[in-house]
Amino acid sequence: MGALRVFITGAGSYVGRAVADYAMRAGYEVVLHSRYGHRGGWLEVPAVFPVEGPLDGPDMPGLLTGCAAPIHVAGRMRGTEDEFRKDVVEDSAALMRAAAKARVARVVLAGSVSVYGAGEPGEVITEDSPVEPRPDLRDAYMRAKLAQEQVMRVEAEKAGMDLSILRLGAIWGPGRLWTAHFGPTKGPVLIRIGRDGQVPLCEIDRAGEALVSAVTAAPCTVNVLDDDLPDRVRFLNALSVSGWPRVILPVHWRLFDRIAGDNPKRPGLLRRPTLRARMMPMGWDGSRAVDALKLSPQHEFEALMAANLIAGVGP
């Protein structure tokens, strides 16, 4: 038998490229899929097969045939409700139907820890924690990721396929060192909302390793997070050698909580569920993923930041 083949959607994205790198190092044949066409870089690499086209296109079952699993990374980070519905929810359902036609046994989803509700201050979020009960008061990305999980579970059950959902923490790494868990920014100034609790980070190499490892591990739904999760102050101290932010204005999260409300028309952090999910001090547990996927131990946070830090980083 030859090498196992994996099919990576969103292969040109930040996470997609990390998945492809890890899969090639692990000895897989890799099919790199892009909805919008490839832009070079992978075309001359042996054992890499670049393909393109819509995920709901008629060619998808044929492209998936013979793959051990598609690793579904494709989506979007920002956009309108209609764009999220098409590119995240509807395309995911189409991929599942194509995988069923191709008789693929398993699909691996790059999900997000954003689907959880905030719980109570100091609570530790695990895979047993409830998802957000008021997605209408969260952002379009979170709503799409929650709907994506739901539609893929339905399609997997109909087809009798295994589905592994890896709820990734906030992705960070070289060239991408900022997340939405700190507060508003303006130029060199950060309004830091809160200081305690853990920032739910997932370093890019861990994301790549976890998603590839899920191809052969037992089916699971797990939180993929770094071993060493800093609080906001520790994160900013490690980032400070970059020179940004130059000014930090600390504000207690409860001050924002007093003025936040449940009106969907309010902007971002002035909607209470959005504010609490991002800024309320909570703990995060990723131990199940480490055990289920046999993930490699990581260095402590400061060492990872030093390795990934680049000059001139900003939000």
Side-chain angles (χ1 to χ4, degrees):
M1 294 179 61
L4 287 178
R5 177 177 292 190
V6 293
F7 186 101
I8 304 169
T9 71
S13 68
Y14 192 70
V15 174
R17 292 184 71 89
V19 173
D21 283 336
Y22 190 88
M24 284 187 290
R25 292 198 304 271
Y28 286 91
E29 287 186 347
V30 179
V31 180
L32 300 175
H33 178 268
S34 172
R35 290 178 290 197
Y36 310 113
H38 291 276
R39 300 178 181 176
W42 292 110
L43 302 185
E44 298 80 24
V45 178
V48 168
F49 306 90
V51 296
E52 59 188 62
L55 287 171
D56 58 357
D59 296 334
M60 280 302 297
L63 295 174
L64 288 167
T65 298
C67 289
I71 301 175
H72 186 34
V73 179
R76 63 169 49 246
M77 295 298 295
R78 54 186 60 85
T80 65
E81 291 285 348
D82 287 344
E83 288 170 333
F84 273 109
R85 183 170 55 252
K86 170 60 176 68
D87 290 352
V88 179
V89 184
E90 294 176 4
D91 275 3
S92 296
L95 175 68
M96 295 298 288
R97 292 192 293 269
K101 289 181 180 178
R103 300 185 181 278
V104 171
R106 172 176 304 181
V107 177
V108 177
L109 169 64
S112 170
V113 297
S114 70
V115 300
Y116 291 109
E120 298 296 331
E123 184 176 338
V124 176
I125 302 298
T126 74
E127 292 84 353
D128 299 323
S129 300
V131 297
E132 175 59 65
R134 290 295 307 271
D136 59 309
L137 295 177
R138 298 282 298 277
D139 58 87
Y141 172 81
M142 176 271 157
R143 286 192 291 273
K145 295 301 287 184
L146 182 59
Q148 179 188 50
E149 283 195 15
Q150 293 167 342
V151 73
M152 291 181 72
R153 288 186 193 276
V154 168
E155 295 295 336
E157 185 174 353
K158 286 196 299 186
M161 281 188 298
D162 289 334
L163 174 64
S164 287
I165 298 176
L166 274 55
R167 292 171 174 165
L168 307 180
I171 298 296
W172 69 294
R176 185 170 167 175
L177 298 177
W178 192 246
T179 82
H181 291 267
F182 294 89
T185 63
K186 182 67 174 179
V189 179
L190 163 68
I191 300 176
R192 192 200 73 215
I193 301 177
R195 59 170 293 147
D196 300 320
Q198 294 175 319
V199 184
L201 299 174
C202 178
E203 204 267 344
I204 187 63
D205 288 341
R206 166 146 291 193
E209 178 187 7
L211 288 162
V212 174
S213 298
V215 171
T216 54
C220 58
T221 296
V222 291
N223 301 333
V224 181
L225 299 161
D226 290 342
D227 291 341
D228 183 18
L229 297 176
D231 62 20
R232 290 167 177 81
V233 172
R234 187 177 166 202
F235 182 100
L236 292 170
N237 284 342
L239 183 64
S240 65
V241 296
S242 71
W244 191 94
R246 295 180 183 174
V247 179
I248 298 175
L249 303 177
V251 178
H252 200 286
W253 73 272
R254 288 195 182 276
L255 177 62
F256 272 74
D257 198 52
R258 290 193 186 99
I259 61 176
D262 293 339
N263 186 341
K265 294 183 179 179
R266 286 192 169 203
L269 293 177
L270 293 182
R271 297 193 299 270
R272 186 165 285 114
T274 295
L275 171 73
R276 291 187 172 187
R278 291 187 189 173
M279 305 300 174
M280 193 170 71
M282 296 181 293
W284 294 84
D285 183 9
S287 61
R288 290 188 197 176
V290 173
D291 293 339
L293 305 176
K294 305 295 188 291
L295 299 180
S296 305
Q298 287 179 305
H299 295 294
E300 67 174 12
F301 166 71
E302 283 79 7
L304 286 176
M305 175 64 84
N308 290 321
L309 193 61
I310 60 171
V313 66

